[in-house]
Amino acid sequence: MQVTETLNEGLKHEFKISVPASDLDAKADAKLVDLKDKVRLNGFRPGKVPVAHLKKIYGRSVMAETIDQTISDTNRQIFEDRGFRLAGEPKITMPTEKDQVEELLSGKTDLTYTVAIEVVPPIQLADFKSFSVEKPVVDVSDADVDDAIKRIAEGSRPYNAKTEGGAEKGDRVTISFKGTINGEAFEGGTSEGIQVVIGAGQFIPGFEEQLIGIGTNETRTLKVSFPKNYLNEKLAGQPAEFETTATLIEAPGETTIDDEFAKTLGLESLDKLKEAARERLTAEFAGATRQKVKRALLDRLDESHKFEAPPSLVTEEFNLMWNSIKAEMDSSGKTFADENTTEEAAKEEYHKIADRRVRLGLVLSEIGEKNKITVTDDEVSRAVIERARQMPGREKEVWDYYRSNAQALAQLRAPIYEDKVVDFVLELANVTEKKVTKEELFKDEDAEKTAA
């Protein structure tokens, strides 16, 4: 066998491999000898079929199998000998001319092919004990708990029927309506007994505002336009009219925050409600803190590991992000000018983000491999159970979906693995706590999640 490296440019390599026909023939014959004891042919006793006869019947298929196995074994040996870690699947180029293929399958010519690969560069991990990470901490105050309970009370407040006067902002109006576009009714445009809280933003823009002042049993024609990014593409951007009748108008009442209110929520007392609210806020603040710390650590890892990311992986990551961005902009009707940028500038920015994500992914993977960090089946199962809990009534459907979908399971496993690696590094790093305000903790949180 002869191996010649024909390309060595950065992370890209290409090899030309030649395997003598005699080697292939010997391997194929060995397979035929093994096959002799397994096949049953008329006129021959078990295990007594001549290899030459088997070669006439199965020779081409056995040679094809031999070639596939030889290419796989040869490539693996080449990569292992050179310590290559592949960034993607190798690209193999074989003879395609009919005569060449025929001679190869007949064992009359050497196997000659090329394999092109892109490799992951060696990654020298930093000394994580030298990392300093600041951990923002917010204590849950009594005022935070009171505000949370007030929001719960507002969402649970009673409504009482109004005996006089029209609907006002904040009132709940029960309506029936029939929608038309250019005088024609459309699917989903008719409904009865729908409750609308004016100002809550439940309906398309302009709908609720036109209900202000409407009286019980009064009918109005509301003129609105569906948003350009409306989910139903047939309705998106279309002007419509809704003949709307108010059958009941209710004004919001006051909720007294006491033990009785707590009992309506299934808790024993107001103190128990406060405990529950504090626990929820504590978990919410802890989640935000985790995001901040993780972002800071990823920034530190990014700064400490500068290397060329495999271009194919960066391109793949960029395309995923860019396709998502373009789809979102198309559905919303926005342009790059609306975002004070250009398509070229946006592409450049997202390419940088893609490069960062790929490099960080490789660094996290390297840390995990070198420190034998793994995700157990139990951890994945718990993640599946948590997903199932989020969809009451469809638990079995969710469970079956993940059990039969390896890719979906991998998508669950990836963030678990990433978090375990992050926790490993944080154990070594110097993490110091810093008291901050609630506003500081949640500042730019969404942007940070996207960038990370």
Side-chain angles (χ1 to χ4, degrees), residues 15 39 63 65 73 97 129 158 175 203-204 210 305 324 328 341 345 401 442:
F15 298 90
V39 299
M63 181 59 77
E65 181 183 332
D73 292 344
E97 292 292 334
K129 293 181 180 179
I175 60 174
F203 277 61
I204 58 178
Q210 295 179 62
H305 300 88
S324 177
E328 184 179 337
T341 187
Y401 169 74
F442 287 97

Side-chain angles (χ1 to χ4, degrees), residues 371-399:
N371 295 282
K372 296 181 173 55
I373 298 172
T374 59
V375 177
T376 67
D377 291 340
D378 283 346
E379 287 170 326
V380 176
S381 294
R382 286 197 293 270
V384 173
I385 291 171
E386 183 58 33
R387 286 292 178 92
R389 284 176 178 168
Q390 296 171 5
M391 304 183 71
R394 299 177 60 188
E395 290 87 352
K396 186 178 185 303
E397 179 184 340
V398 173
W399 184 259

Side-chain angles (χ1 to χ4, degrees), residues 24-268:
L24 294 176
D25 201 45
K27 292 179 181 179
D29 284 348
K31 286 181 178 291
L32 289 169
V33 170
D34 182 62
L35 187 65
K36 182 178 68 172
D37 296 326
K38 299 176 181 178
V39 299
R40 296 291 184 267
L41 293 178
N42 291 332
F44 295 95
R45 288 180 295 165
K48 299 298 181 179
V49 183
V51 172
H53 187 67
L54 286 175
K55 196 167 189 175
K56 290 181 181 179
I57 301 173
Y58 301 110
R60 287 171 60 86
S61 61
V62 169
M63 181 59 77
E65 181 183 332
T66 299
I67 291 170
D68 284 344
Q69 188 64 51
T70 299
I71 291 174
S72 177
D73 292 344
T74 301
N75 289 349
R76 184 170 55 252
Q77 191 62 50
I78 291 172
F79 306 151
E80 287 179 356
D81 288 348
R82 289 161 176 79
F84 286 158
R85 180 180 170 193
L86 301 193
E89 290 296 319
K91 182 180 179 181
I92 299 168
T93 303
M94 295 272 293
T96 56
E97 292 292 334
K98 184 177 180 180
D99 291 344
Q100 292 176 314
V101 174
E102 182 61 35
E103 288 191 349
L104 184 58
L105 292 176
S106 300
K108 297 177 181 179
T109 187
D110 297 345
L111 166 64
T112 301
Y113 70 95
T114 61
V115 55
I117 59 172
E118 190 173 88
V119 301
V120 175
I123 300 173
Q124 182 64 42
L125 295 178
D127 178 9
F128 304 132
K129 293 181 180 179
S130 68
F131 283 14
S132 294
V133 180
E134 195 171 75
K135 179 180 179 180
V137 176
V138 177
D139 293 327
V140 179
S141 68
D142 292 341
D144 292 329
V145 173
D146 290 342
D147 287 342
I149 293 176
K150 285 178 183 177
R151 290 194 294 271
I152 296 172
E154 288 176 0
S156 305
R157 60 188 173 185
Y159 284 86
N160 303 307
K162 295 179 72 169
T163 56
E164 57 183 28
E168 302 175 52
K169 187 175 182 180
D171 286 352
R172 185 169 70 184
V173 185
T174 302
I175 60 174
S176 297
F177 57 80
K178 179 180 180 181
T180 58
I181 295 178
N182 297 324
E184 297 290 333
F186 57 89
E187 185 178 356
T190 300
S191 193
E192 296 183 357
I194 301 298
Q195 292 182 331
V196 184
V197 176
I198 299 177
Q202 299 168 270
F203 277 61
I204 58 178
F207 189 99
E208 295 171 14
E209 291 82 353
Q210 295 179 62
L211 291 175
I212 293 176
I214 196 170
T216 304
N217 296 322
E218 179 184 343
T219 299
R220 288 183 177 181
T221 299
L222 312 184
K223 297 181 179 181
V224 296
S225 290
F226 285 95
K228 292 182 179 180
N229 61 341
Y230 197 66
L231 291 177
N232 187 330
E233 295 181 357
K234 293 181 179 179
L235 302 180
Q238 294 288 329
E241 293 186 354
F242 287 88
E243 186 180 280
T244 306
T245 300
T247 57
L248 178 63
I249 301 172
E250 300 169 291
E254 293 296 326
T255 300
T256 301
I257 299 176
D258 55 14
D259 289 343
E260 291 304 314
F261 171 67
K263 289 177 182 178
T264 65
L265 301 175
L267 296 166
E268 299 174 8

